[in-house]
Every structure is written in structure tokens, then in C-alpha cells.
């Protein structure tokens, strides 16, 4: 991204933020507006209408010092943030008298812009929607207002913190919490990457019989990568066509752009079995391959005790490239995250191992070709299969947790007004309706609500997943990553070389580990992160670290397996759902 253009954007945003709205509503008008929105938009809710009105009256009173003010924020382009920018900003403005300019942009550009603000100290936006993947970054750079949200809510933000915020109701609260136990980012949006498949095709007797005759086990939800590969091969090369349409057994994306990096940093390596046991992230080695001791990163190369270029990581990249080229539609290699996401909804994909649930809302609309006449989907989502290096106790997938992030660089009054909007957008008055509309679930009370139970049959397994026991194994990037913005860049740059065939998977991961270590070494030398920054291990042989893991009863790095394709294993989807029933309402 061009830094000059970003700084122009900074100046424009600052000028815009200084403008005040011309007309401010009276208290009576604000109460009438609150009632209108509660009656017409914010139903259903886990609160009664009286309780909703009480919560809105608190917002009206807390916002009095800021009536007529404009504030600015930005989030990535997702349906939930479109709802916020179009609907919630209007509601919030009418109820509180504060105008919010809620911009939407590509996530890669957003990350670049927030990096510019952090480096320059000059506000581009008054507050941000920033993924909790930055939880290892913000505390180490000390760039959150008052040091942390916990401290802000107890000090400068005390008078604008909703007494009914109910932090313990947020299912992703730990994702925005650092090793000191303090909250730095407030969850607003969550989606997982899960396994997606055509439930209707998997139930066809002739396909089930054909699959079992070839592979010797039942066609079903794959438990391991061996079964996923067999199913991909089966639909792409054996079935080939269903109802007159060319079908494929795998879908992915491979365009050289920042979203290719997310395809790997979003827990692909841990799904294969790289890293260590531990939740929400492996310790001492996480899914980025970074070793962390006493809260301080020590390196990601196998020679420094990391696992970014260990056998499990190389296997993960090898299978990604192989499956993309052998089993996915030819055009997939040229697609990015946003382009590839809706493709399964076109009706020619049998399964996808790495599918973001944020795209589910586009598939279950009435009249969609992916929906049955009774309103149930032809597809389902289920927990992702794992690779041969994976062990019980490791994380198994990724959850994207977009969080309200209050950097310290904007004027305090702007931050406080922005904090009110942030809380409004996740308030119990608003959250259930927003969750049902966008299928991003952030509150336990919403997940357990009767309205969610009624909606569950049309949501393809999303509600069952969030109510079930497996959800705890799906987590975002964690505290081991000391500078997400800089380090995420080197993933797509290195991985793309393996896709192009200019380097081997081993060489690509060696390059990744080298580049990550170079960034962490520079951070250590600068001293900018103080006593939270990296302390890089001295290089040792890989054998030394293999023996350390074996001696300490940890996992990473693991030695290369003699057999990386064990027998395929599947489970019947309906039986899987039944096994979760005690955890459901």
C-alpha cells in the first residue's frame, strides 16, 4: 500500500472528525427514537422491551457531553459490519445524537492503516475494528488508551462504560485478553473456519456405495486429512458430474495477496499438527511456529526451538498446494479470500476443509439453490479434520474475532464517544438481532436464546457448533505473535513461491521462518517492546530441539512421520450432532 495515500487519508479523516452535526435531538426525541428502533428493528432480544429501554436511556444520558459530535471508525468488509455501518450508525445517531462515520475496507488495507497510526502516533480513525490477532501486538507496543481496556473502563472511560455490558457473556473474551489478565480488545464479531460439505450428496446411496467400494470405509464427515483427501479425489476424479454439472471435491484459493497469508496464519499449521498442546494457543510453541517462554517470543525457526519450518508445517503447505492443484476448480488458484468464499454456494463443490462461516449467510437465504423447499440447507458445516501430526489437546481451527480497539492517539473525547458506539453495537438490546441477521455469534446469552434454537435448522450446523464441546478448540492468533501487521506479510510472500513452483514447500517454510526471526530480532534490538519483547534463542541443531521436546514431554517440533497418510476415518454427521446434544438447550 502507498504510505503517501494513507497519510492523505489520515488528514481527511482528521478533518472529517472535527465537524459537528448541525442539529441535536432533545431528550424526548431520543427516547422516542429508542422506542422506535426497539419496536421496529431490535427484536428479538434477550432483554424485555422495558429492559431494552432502560439500557438505551443509559446510553442517552452517558452521551450527553458528546451530542453533536462526529467520530470515525473502520472495519473490514463483512456482512456484520455492513449492518453496523448502515443500520446501527443510524440508530445510534438518532438515539444518542452522536454521528458515527463507519468506514469499510479490505482487511489488508485496514491492517496497513492501523500500522501507520501505531508507527506515527497520529490518528487516522478515532477507533478501530481490529482483529484479536493483534493481542500479542497492542500490549507490547502499549498503544491502547490508558494502557488497556480494563484500565480505561476503570479510569477515563468509567463514566461511559455500560453497567450492563456483562463481559462474562462474551464467548470470545479470552481472545482479547493478554498474559497480564487485562482486556485490550472487546469482541464484536466472530466467525470460524470449519469443514463444509454437501450433506445431500453425502446421503445419496449410490455415492455412498461407490465410495465404500473404492476406499473401504463410509463416506461421511472426515475426521482426518487422509479421509478428506480420499473424498476430494472421489468427487473430482470418480464422480466428476452430478445432475449434469461438473463437480469438484475441494475448494480453496491461491491468489498472491494478503488473504493468502490468512489462509495459513488462521491455524492451518495447527490443523496439520504443528505447534504444541494448549488452548487458546499452543505453549510453548503456537500455530505460527513461534516459541514463547515467560511471555516472550524466542524464535520460529526449528533451529531456535520454533516449528514454522518443521516437518508438520512443511506437510501442511505440501498438502495445501497438492490439493489446490489436483482437486479444486482450475480458477481457484487465481482467487482471493473474498472471491473464493461464495463459490461453494454455486452448487458444484462437494466439500471444503477450510471454509469461513461468515459466508454462510449468503447460502441460506430463502429461494437460494443451496436451500431445500422446507427451508433447510442442502449443506452442513462440521468440525475440521486434522492432520497426522495433530494430538489431543491442540487447537484444531481458527476463529476470527473482530474487536473494538481503542488506540490512544485520538483525542480522549473522541475515544469516549467511540467507546459508547462500540458498546451499543454489542449491547444486549442489539446483539441477538444482529447475530441472527449476520450469523456472527458473540454472546452466550444469544447462542442459548430460544430465537437461536428456532433459527438453527436453517443455519447448517453453526448453532450446534457454538453450543457444542468442540468450539473451544477454535481460537484466533494468540499472544506469541509480537507484531501481527509486519509478520503476517511474510506468510503470503513465502507461501506464494511454493504455489508458483519456484521453491519447494520446505524452502518456502524455511524462508518464512527466517523472515519471522528477522522481524523479531529487529524488535529485540530496538527495545521498543521493553520487557514484553522477544528474546531470541541462539540457533541449535534441529536434533537438539527434537530431544528437548521429548525430554520436556512437549510436542514441537515433531520429527517427520514415516507415514503421513494413515487410514482415512469418517463420522456420520447426524451421529456427530447427536453426540453434542447434552451441550445444547
Amino acid at each position: 500500500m502507498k504510505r503517501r495515500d494513507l497519510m492523505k487519508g489520515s488528514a481527511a479523516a482528521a478533518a472529517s472528525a472535527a465537524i459537528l452535526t448541525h442539529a441535536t435531538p432533545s431528550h424526548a426525541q431520543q427516547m422516542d427514537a429508542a422506542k422506535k428502533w426497539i419496536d421496529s428493528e431490535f427484536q428479538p432480544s434477550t432483554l424485555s422491551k422495558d429492559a431494552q429501554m432502560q439500557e438505551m436511556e443509559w446510553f442517552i444520558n452517558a452521551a450527553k457531553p458528546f451530542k453533536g459530535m462526529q467520530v470515525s471508525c473502520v472495519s473490514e468488509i463483512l456482512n456484520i459490519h455492513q449492518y453496523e455501518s448502515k443500520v446501527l450508525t443510524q440508530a445510534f445517531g438518532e438515539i444518542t445524537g452522536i454521528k458515527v462515520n463507519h468506514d469499510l475496507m479490505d482487511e489488508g488495507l485496514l491492517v496497513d492503516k492501523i500500522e501507520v497510526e501505531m508507527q506515527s502516533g497520529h490518528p487516522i480513525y478515532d477507533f478501530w475494528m481490529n482483529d484479536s490477532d493483534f493481542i500479542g501486538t497492542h500490549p507490547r507496543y502499549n498503544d491502547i488508551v490508558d494502557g488497556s481496556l480494563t484500565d480505561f473502563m476503570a479510569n477515563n472511560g468509567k463514566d461511559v462504560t455500560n453497567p450492563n455490558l456483562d463481559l462474562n457473556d462474551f464467548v470470545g473474551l479470552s481472545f482479547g485478553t493478554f498474559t497480564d489478565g487485562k482486556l485490550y480488545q472487546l469482541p464484536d464479531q466472530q466467525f470460524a473456519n470449519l469443514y463444509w460439505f454437501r450433506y445431500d450428496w453425502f446421503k445419496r446411496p449410490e455415492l455412498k456405495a461407490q465410495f465404500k467400494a473404492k476406499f473401504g470405509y463410509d463416506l461421511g464427515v472426515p475426521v482426518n486429512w487422509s479421509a478428506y483427501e480420499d473424498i476430494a479425489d472421489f468427487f473430482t476424479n470418480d464422480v466428476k458430474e452430478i445432475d449434469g454439472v461438473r463437480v469438484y471435491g475441494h475448494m480453496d484459493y491461491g491468489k498472491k495477496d494478503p488473504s493468502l497469508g490468512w489462509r495459513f496464519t488462521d491455524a492451518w499449521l495447527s490443523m496439520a499438527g504443528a505447534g504444541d498442546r494448549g488452548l487458546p494457543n499452543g505453549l510453548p510453541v503456537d500455530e505460527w511456529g513461534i516459541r514463547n517462554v515467560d511471555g516472550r517470543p524466542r524464535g520460529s525457526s526449528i533451529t531456535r526451538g520454533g516449528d514454522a519450518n518443521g516437518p508438520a508445517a512443511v506437510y501442511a503447505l505440501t498438502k495445501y498446494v497438492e490439493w489446490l492443484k489436483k482437486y479444486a476448480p482450475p480458477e481457484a488458484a487465481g482467487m482471493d479470500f473474498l472471491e473464493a468464499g461464495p463459490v461453494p454456494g454455486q452448487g458444484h463443490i462437494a466439500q471444503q476443509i477450510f471454509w469461513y462461516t461468515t459466508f454462510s449467510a449468503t447460502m441460506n437465504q430463502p429461494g437460494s439453490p443451496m436451500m431445500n423447499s422446507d427451508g433447510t440447507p442442502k449443506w452442513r458445516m462440521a468440525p475440521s479434520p486434522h492432520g497426522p501430526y495433530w494430538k489431543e489437546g491442540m487447537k484444531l481451527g481458527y476463529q476470527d474475532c473482530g474487536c473494538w480497539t481503542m488506540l490512544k492517539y485520538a483525542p480522549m473525547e473522541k475515544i469516549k464517544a467511540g467507546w459508547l458506539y462500540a458498546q451499543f453495537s454489542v449491547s444486549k438490546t442489539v446483539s441477538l438481532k444482529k447475530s441472527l441477521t449476520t450469523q456472527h455469534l458473540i454472546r452466550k446469552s444469544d447462542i442459548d436464546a430460544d430465537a437461536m434454537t428456532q433459527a438453527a435448522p436453517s443455519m447448517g450446523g453453526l448453532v450446534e457448533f457454538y453450543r457444542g464441546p468442540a468450539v473451544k478448540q477454535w481460537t484466533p492468533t494468540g499472544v506469541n505473535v509480537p507484531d501481527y501487521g509486519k509478520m503476517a506479510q511474510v506468510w503470503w510472500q513465502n507461501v506464494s513461491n511454493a504455489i508458483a513452483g519456484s521453491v519447494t514447500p520446505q524452502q518456502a517454510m524455511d524462508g518464512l521462518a527466517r523472515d519471522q526471526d528477522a522481524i523479531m530480532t529487529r524488535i529485540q534490538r530496538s527495545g521498543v517492546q521493553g520487557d514484553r519483547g522477544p528474546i531470541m534463542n541462539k540457533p541449535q541443531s534441529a536434533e537438539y530441539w527434537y530431544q528437548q521436546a521429548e525430554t520436556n514431554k512437549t510436542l514441537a517440533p515433531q520429527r517427520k512421520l514415516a507415514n503421513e497418510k494413515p487410514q482415512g476415518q469418517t463420522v456420520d454427521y447426524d451421529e456427530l450432532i447427536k453426540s453434542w446434544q447434552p451441550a445444547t438447550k
Side-chain angles (χ1 to χ4, degrees):
M1 304 302 169
K2 293 182 179 180
R3 302 283 174 169
R4 185 182 303 167
D5 292 343
L6 294 182
M7 296 312 293
K8 286 180 181 178
S10 173
S16 173
I19 300 173
L20 297 181
T21 53
H22 294 294
T24 57
S26 68
H27 183 84
Q29 289 173 321
Q30 290 174 277
M31 291 296 290
D32 287 344
K35 186 177 187 307
K36 179 195 75 174
W37 281 98
I38 287 170
D39 289 340
S40 65
E41 178 64 26
F42 300 140
Q43 298 299 323
S45 170
T46 56
L47 300 180
S48 67
K49 286 189 176 182
D50 285 344
Q52 286 179 290
M53 283 298 296
Q54 290 173 10
E55 184 168 56
M56 290 302 98
E57 187 168 20
W58 178 87
F59 276 101
I60 291 168
N61 291 330
K64 284 179 181 178
F66 316 106
K67 284 175 69 173
M69 181 180 288
Q70 283 195 30
V71 293
S72 63
C73 66
V74 64
S75 58
E76 68 173 303
I77 303 169
L78 294 173
N79 66 334
I80 183 170
H81 303 315
Q82 291 170 336
Y83 178 81
E84 290 164 347
S85 68
K86 293 177 181 178
V87 178
L88 295 191
T89 56
Q90 182 181 351
F92 184 74
E94 292 179 10
I95 293 170
T96 67
I98 300 170
K99 178 174 174 55
V100 178
N101 297 316
H102 187 152
D103 287 350
L104 303 175
M105 66 179 59
D106 178 82
E107 174 71 358
L109 179 57
L110 190 155
V111 168
D112 208 6
K113 281 201 171 192
I114 198 170
E115 284 276 306
V116 171
E117 178 164 325
M118 291 163 57
Q119 292 166 14
S120 69
H122 297 295
I124 298 173
Y125 288 94
D126 297 317
F127 58 112
W128 298 77
M129 174 62 59
N130 184 214
D131 284 354
S132 70
D133 295 337
F134 273 71
I135 189 57
T137 304
H138 292 307
R140 289 188 170 99
Y141 283 118
N142 189 31
D143 58 23
I144 300 297
V145 63
D146 284 354
S148 72
L149 267 186
T150 297
D151 292 312
F152 174 67
M153 290 186 289
N155 296 293
N156 278 310
K158 187 174 183 179
D159 58 332
V160 288
T161 296
N162 182 3
N164 296 313
L165 182 58
D166 192 6
L167 290 174
N168 291 331
D169 193 39
F170 288 83
V171 295
L173 196 69
S174 65
F175 304 153
T177 303
F178 193 59
T179 56
D180 58 5
K182 293 183 178 181
L183 185 68
Y184 287 78
Q185 298 174 276
L186 180 70
D188 169 89
Q189 147 255 303
Q190 281 182 231
F191 60 89
N193 61 1
L194 296 176
Y195 172 75
W196 179 97
F197 71 107
R198 284 295 297 267
Y199 177 80
D200 56 341
W201 292 355
F202 277 46
K203 285 294 186 182
R204 291 194 178 191
E206 71 277 14
L207 295 180
K208 293 175 69 174
Q210 187 181 351
F211 182 86
K212 189 162 188 177
K214 179 173 182 177
F215 295 103
Y217 61 95
D218 292 330
L219 177 62
V221 174
V223 174
N224 57 15
W225 283 19
S226 298
Y228 183 84
E229 184 175 283
D230 289 345
I231 297 169
D233 178 45
F234 175 68
F235 278 98
T236 299
N237 296 320
D238 294 325
V239 178
K240 295 183 181 179
E241 188 175 292
I242 294 178
D243 300 334
V245 176
R246 176 68 168 105
V247 301
Y248 294 90
H250 175 60
M251 181 59 201
D252 217 320
Y253 62 93
K255 184 177 180 179
K256 185 177 180 180
D257 91 320
S259 69
L260 180 61
W262 313 332
R263 174 62 182 79
F264 285 82
T265 60
D266 290 359
W268 183 244
L269 269 59
S270 67
M271 290 169 65
D276 272 299
R277 294 183 178 91
L279 296 171
N281 304 89
L283 281 174
V285 180
D286 71 354
E287 69 272 19
W288 283 51
I290 299 172
R291 180 172 289 269
N292 188 305
V293 178
D294 297 327
R296 305 188 70 171
R298 305 296 173 132
S300 64
S301 299
I302 194 170
T303 54
R304 295 183 189 269
D307 203 15
N309 59 338
V314 173
Y315 165 82
L317 176 55
T318 300
K319 284 300 173 184
Y320 161 82
V321 174
E322 177 185 334
W323 294 345
L324 178 66
K325 293 183 176 181
K326 291 175 66 174
Y327 307 124
E331 61 271 19
M335 291 182 169
D336 64 17
F337 160 72
L338 289 174
E339 293 165 339
V343 169
Q346 296 172 6
H348 63 303
I349 305 299
Q351 61 168 1
Q352 186 168 342
I353 191 172
F354 195 93
W355 179 78
Y356 291 100
T357 61
T358 189
F359 296 110
S360 63
T362 65
M363 286 194 203
N364 62 2
Q365 299 303 314
S368 166
M370 298 299 290
M371 298 295 285
N372 295 309
S373 58
D374 63 358
T376 59
K378 296 177 181 179
W379 51 271
R380 298 289 190 275
M381 61 185 85
S384 313
H386 57 73
Y389 292 90
W390 188 86
K391 303 290 189 299
E392 287 292 341
M394 297 177 71
K395 69 179 288 182
L396 187 49
Y398 173 82
Q399 279 201 72
D400 184 290
C401 184
C403 295
W404 290 113
T405 304
M406 319 304 289
L407 298 185
K408 65 184 180 183
Y409 307 110
M412 182 60 71
E413 295 303 292
K414 299 280 189 180
I415 295 173
K416 293 174 74 170
W419 178 234
L420 285 171
Y421 173 68
Q423 295 172 96
F424 175 83
S425 69
V426 299
S427 66
K428 290 184 178 179
T429 292
V430 170
S431 63
L432 179 56
K433 175 60 182 291
K434 186 173 78 167
S435 292
L436 290 167
T437 302
T438 66
Q439 298 182 23
H440 287 255
L441 315 183
I442 63 166
R443 282 188 177 273
K444 188 177 187 301
S445 57
D446 293 339
I447 294 168
D448 292 338
D450 289 339
M452 196 65 71
T453 300
Q454 294 167 14
S458 69
M459 296 170 76
L462 182 68
V463 175
E464 289 83 355
F465 171 75
Y466 273 96
R467 288 178 172 178
V471 66
K472 67 180 183 297
Q473 294 175 302
W474 270 253
T475 66
T477 294
V479 299
N480 288 19
V481 182
D483 192 320
Y484 180 92
K486 291 185 178 68
M487 297 179 73
Q489 297 294 318
V490 302
W491 282 77
W492 63 273
Q493 293 165 358
N494 282 282
V495 166
S496 62
N497 294 330
I499 298 173
S502 60
V503 300
T504 66
Q506 180 69 67
Q507 290 169 330
M509 299 311 282
D510 286 344
L512 167 67
R514 178 198 63 231
D515 291 348
Q516 287 200 135
D517 284 354
I519 292 169
M520 290 188 284
T521 298
R522 288 197 296 271
I523 294 172
Q524 179 181 350
R525 287 174 178 167
S526 73
V528 68
Q529 294 186 346
D531 59 6
R532 290 176 167 178
I535 304 177
M536 301 298 284
N537 284 334
K538 294 180 179 180
Q540 304 271 5
S541 68
E543 180 60 30
Y544 170 84
W545 291 106
Y546 291 142
Q547 292 182 9
Q548 286 291 303
E550 291 160 3
T551 299
N552 296 327
K553 307 298 183 184
T554 55
L555 291 175
Q558 296 185 60
R559 298 179 187 274
K560 183 176 174 61
L561 294 172
N563 177 20
E564 292 182 328
K565 191 179 181 186
Q567 173 65 35
Q569 182 182 356
T570 59
V571 62
D572 181 79
Y573 177 80
D574 296 323
E575 293 301 317
L576 175 66
I577 293 298
K578 287 179 183 177
S579 73
W580 291 353
Q581 290 307 307
T584 64
K585 189 171 179 179

